[in-house]
Amino acid sequence: MAITPDFIEEFRVICPACRGRVVLKEDASGIKCLECRRVYPVVNDIPPLVVDLATIEGTYANRTGEVTQLSIAGPDLNATAQGTIALNETGESDL
């Protein structure tokens, strides 16, 4: 039985990493999370929803850029920073 959009909807399949909504990719090669952009491959009509097997689809993965200004303000904190930011393969940073 092939994975279909109806299967995803009927069984309420969600992303195991972020609990976000997932959709079947147009070519049916994987299930993509709309929140964290992880793509879980479909192998032999089975989608093993294992975070370690997922890839990240996004335009910002493995990129470096400049932060012109970052301000954080709160009741006990007021900080400003600027400089270079590097994004890892998932498109996230250590900030």
Side-chain angles (χ1 to χ4, degrees), residues 12-94:
R12 297 183 183 151
V13 179
I14 60 171
C15 176
C18 74
R19 308 291 227 194
R21 183 171 168 252
V22 297
V23 295
L24 185 65
K25 290 186 62 171
E26 286 186 26
D27 63 2
S29 65
I31 293 176
K32 181 177 181 178
C33 177
L34 299 176
E35 301 298 320
C36 69
R37 300 183 318 270
R38 282 181 172 79
V39 176
Y40 301 91
V42 174
V43 181
N44 297 327
D45 292 333
I46 299 171
L49 295 173
V50 178
V51 175
D52 291 341
L53 298 178
T55 58
I56 304 292
E57 273 191 3
T59 57
Y60 300 109
N62 292 319
R63 300 275 177 117
T64 301
E66 290 294 319
V67 176
T68 55
Q69 184 171 353
L70 171 66
S71 297
I72 302 171
D76 299 323
L77 174 68
N78 191 1
T80 302
Q82 62 185 41
T84 302
I85 184 172
L87 302 178
N88 62 21
E89 66 276 358
T90 65
E92 298 172 344
S93 73
D94 291 332

